[in-house]
Amino acid sequence: MLQYGVMSASESESGLNEIQRAASEQFARQSHRYGKGHILADVSDVDAALAGVPLNGRRRVLDVATGGGHTGLHLASLGHDVTLSDLTDAMLDRAREAEEARGLKARFERHSAEAMPYANGTFDLVTCRVAPHHFSAPERFVAEVARVLVADGHFVLIDGSVNDDEPEAEAWLHTVEKLRDPSHNRFLTPRAWTQLCEAVGLRVEVCRLAPRKQPDLEWYFETAATPAANRTAVRELVANAPASARRLFRVAEEDGKVVWWWPMLTLVARR
Ligand SMILES: C[S@@+](CC[C@H](N)C(=O)[O-])C[C@H]1O[C@@H](n2cnc3c(N)ncnc32)[C@H](O)[C@@H]1O
């Protein structure tokens, strides 16, 4: 059973638990890195995930942990009524700047993924991309998604994941990611996400893993401002990666640079 963060007295005073605070501080420092040039600006994975989701007309959409706003603003550009939400003010500022630069209109709300300030049945679609591995309580997040969706509404989740039943590779990836970005909490497997969805009455329609090539290790460090000692530790972990991790994440060298592939999960569920 996975363990998530526990609230202490000081955490409850700030309204954020330790894991949320770490994420918020990390993204406040690094918000400038999540703009146009970031790999997340390519939203072809979002389009692929939406292929089977009926989105005729103007739909009410919530994009959770919107970051630079790439997913939410893409949906706004398709004509939907989109709310972009995030825990981190600086990220919401970056998303607002992108909204203005692109001549789009959207709403912005600051809140955690684990507690949403909306009435039951407010949205037709909830999206969340490349963020849930930071969340302190994925089970609360999924329960909130189910609550704020209308009956028959859709949930689209895209995130780094790891194959079911690969504990050694999972532990390795978790250690690497935690060293690179200490605000990382946990990658969940496809089975774990499916169980969380089913527990709150969401019917999973699509659940697929596809490898996504990561830029080389140095880009990866710069994005998270990884401390020098952690960079060294990650390089050592990569050099000594167990066979299961080498196979699953296709760890290799190209032109003297370390490259690897992250299993990206796309999950589409219906309420
Ligand atoms: C990599 S960015 C998201 C990228 C974005 N979804 C996209 O498609 O481009 C991760 C975001 O998750 C947010 N975040 C982390 N933990 C959160 C939480 N518990 N609740 C809400 N937002 C959170 C961070 O503030 C950050 O903006």
Side-chain angles (χ1 to χ4, degrees), residues 40-54:
L40 292 171
D42 174 359
V43 289
S44 48
D45 55 343
V46 178
D47 282 332
L50 291 173
V53 177

Side-chain angles (χ1 to χ4, degrees), residues 19-20 23-24 27-28 34 38 40-41 43 46 63-72 85-88 91 111-114 128-131 133-136:
I19 295 169
Q20 292 170 330
S24 181
F27 282 98
Y34 284 82
H38 196 278
L40 292 171
V43 289
V46 178
D63 185 38
V64 176
T66 198
H70 300 294
T71 304
S85 74
D86 203 283
L87 192 62
T88 309
M91 291 307 287
H111 61 77
S112 76
E114 293 90 342
C128 188
R129 175 178 180 238
V130 191
H133 67 103
H134 295 283
F135 297 170
S136 60

Side-chain angles (χ1 to χ4, degrees), residues 36 43 84 94-95 190 225 259 267:
K36 267 202 241 160
V43 289
L84 288 80
R94 298 293 86 74
V259 291
L267 180 146

Side-chain angles (χ1 to χ4, degrees), residues 193-195 197-198 202-207 267-270:
W193 278 116
T194 299
Q195 286 169 350
C197 287
E198 288 174 349
L202 294 171
R203 289 162 287 156
V204 175
E205 294 181 335
V206 174
C207 184
L267 180 146
V268 180
R270 181 193 285 231

